[in-house]
């Protein structure tokens, strides 16, 4: 599949989708508290997304049964919300969400600490977010796609973390997953040349321990094989002729 180049009209629609998704994440982050079920988080997320006039893009995607992926502790991504799963102080909770606004998608994830967490957990969340920002330093017209991959992978590996290899970032636009696939680890190839108008979801998934993962019996939930903590951070960005524009993190400077 060729990589689509978005027009400025399309980019502005994706920017609006991104602003809405960022607000959803900020509101979900504020609402998180011990005693809440992961299904409560999903219900609130769906309500917020629909309240902004958007469609939750994950709902029914390849049969996924919810609007928000809620992945706790050793869960890497795609945790299925459940009323039986109660979050507690000390947990780390990754929330991944997608919205469709006027036919255009935005995809973003954040990992939150619930109350006081261990130093290891705090560092993992911080480094995972930093991996994203390290990667997008290379998200410039004329660079190659795997420059981003290499930067992310090295940043995490040099700090002793396991970089998940079985899942990747991706192009995003009129579909949730478009070409190209964006690994979070170093590959010995260059990848396509980046061009202004490419819209990408860059999403490091980082484990405290090994990089290996397993799928649980529900065939969705991905967990670290050694069951150590895992974090996820993702934004939808657009390549420009200068610095990349982060479409799903434009409101909150700290994000
Ligand atoms: N953000 C997730 C990804 O890019 C999308 C999950 S789709 C779902 O892999 F169906 F699992 F929700
Ligand atoms: Co994604």
């Amino acid at each position: 599949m060729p990589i689509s180049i978005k027009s400025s009209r399309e980019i502005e629609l994706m920017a609006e989708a991104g602003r809405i998704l960022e607000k959803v994440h900020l509101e979900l982050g504020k609402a998180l508290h011990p005693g809440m079920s992961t299904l409560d988080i999903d219900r609130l997320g769906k309500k917020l997304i629909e309240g902004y006039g958007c469609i939750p893009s994950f709902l029914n995607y390849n049969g996924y049964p919810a609007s928000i992926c809620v992945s706790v502790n050793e869960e890497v991504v795609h945790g299925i919300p459940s009323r039986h799963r109660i979050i507690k102080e000390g947990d780390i909770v990754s929330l991944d969400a997608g919205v469709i606004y006027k036919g255009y998608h935005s995809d973003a994830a954040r990992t939150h600490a619930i109350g006081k967490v261990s130093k290891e957990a705090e560092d993992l969340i911080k480094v995972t977010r930093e991996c994203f920002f390290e990667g997008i330093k290379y998200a410039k017209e004329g660079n190659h796609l795997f420059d981003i991959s290499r930067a992310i992978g090295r940043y995490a590996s040099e700090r002793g973390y396991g970089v998940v290899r079985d899942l990747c970032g991706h192009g995003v636009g009129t579909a949730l997953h478009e070409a190209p696939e964006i690994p979070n680890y170093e590959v010995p190839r260059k990848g396509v040349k980046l061009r202004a108008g490419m819209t990408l979801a860059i999403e490091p998934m980082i484990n405290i321990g090994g990089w290996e993962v397993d799928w649980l019996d529900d065939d969705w939930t991905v967990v670290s094989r050694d069951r150590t903590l895992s974090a996820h951070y993702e934004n939808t960005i657009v390549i420009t002729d200068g610095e990349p524009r982060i479409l799903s993190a434009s409101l909150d400077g700290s994000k």
Side-chain angles (χ1 to χ4, degrees):
M1 271 294 277
I3 302 172
S4 67
I5 300 295
K6 273 73 175 182
S7 67
S8 54
R9 184 193 71 89
E10 292 180 292
I11 290 166
E12 289 321 309
L13 292 172
M14 290 185 69
E16 184 54 21
R19 276 190 290 272
I20 291 168
L21 181 55
E22 182 178 8
K23 284 192 243 173
V24 169
H25 269 298
L26 291 170
E27 289 175 62
L28 286 176
K30 276 187 208 141
L32 288 180
H33 60 84
M36 197 176 196
S37 75
T38 58
L39 185 64
D40 293 333
I41 301 168
D42 177 63
R43 288 205 174 123
L44 175 59
K46 181 169 189 281
K47 197 174 108 192
L48 290 166
I49 292 168
E50 291 175 343
Y52 285 116
C54 291
I55 299 168
S57 52
F58 296 179
L59 187 58
N60 301 320
Y61 180 84
N62 290 338
Y64 185 75
S67 301
I68 313 287
C69 296
V70 186
S71 308
V72 183
N73 295 335
E74 75 283 358
E75 295 170 359
V76 180
V77 287
H78 305 167
I80 298 179
S82 157
R83 67 188 175 88
H84 302 292
R85 186 77 195 258
I86 309 296
I87 61 171
K88 56 180 195 313
E89 168 106 15
D91 284 343
I92 66 168
V93 179
S94 302
L95 303 183
D96 190 354
V99 302
I100 310 173
Y101 173 75
K102 296 190 178 169
Y104 286 84
H105 289 250
S106 191
D107 185 6
R110 303 285 184 264
T111 299
H112 298 277
I114 306 302
K116 180 103 187 87
V117 301
S118 66
K119 173 79 168 70
E120 292 72 40
E122 225 170 68
D123 290 346
L124 171 70
I125 293 172
K126 181 166 164 284
V127 168
T128 303
R129 179 176 172 281
E130 287 169 355
C131 280
F132 167 84
F133 286 96
E134 203 54 34
I136 64 161
K137 285 184 186 166
Y138 298 85
K140 287 187 184 163
E141 186 161 63
N143 282 351
H144 289 88
L145 183 67
F146 299 150
D147 295 337
I148 301 174
S149 304
R150 182 186 321 107
I152 293 172
R154 283 194 183 167
Y155 190 85
S157 316
E158 281 165 3
R159 285 159 182 77
Y161 291 97
V163 179
V164 174
R165 303 173 72 93
D166 298 85
L167 299 125
C168 293
H170 50 92
V172 55
T174 52
L176 174 59
H177 292 134
E178 295 185 354
E181 212 172 69
I182 311 171
N184 292 304
Y185 51 91
E186 187 167 0
V187 286
R189 284 172 291 136
K190 281 180 169 314
V192 294
K193 214 174 214 188
L194 297 173
R195 280 182 53 196
M198 290 179 173
T199 45
L200 308 173
I202 297 179
E203 49 178 320
M205 289 154 264
I206 308 294
N207 298 342
I208 279 191
W211 60 268
E212 298 88 345
V213 296
D214 288 320
W215 266 255
L216 296 185
D217 287 340
D218 63 22
D219 230 15
W220 278 107
T221 314
V222 180
V223 296
S224 59
R225 182 162 294 166
D226 58 16
R227 303 303 195 260
T228 56
L229 296 178
S230 184
H232 184 202
Y233 184 88
E234 175 181 26
N235 279 310
T236 298
I237 70 155
V238 58
I239 305 292
T240 74
D241 54 11
E243 294 302 312
R245 184 170 161 205
I246 309 177
L247 300 176
S248 54
S250 61
L251 303 170
D252 182 345
S254 74
K255 294 282 168 183

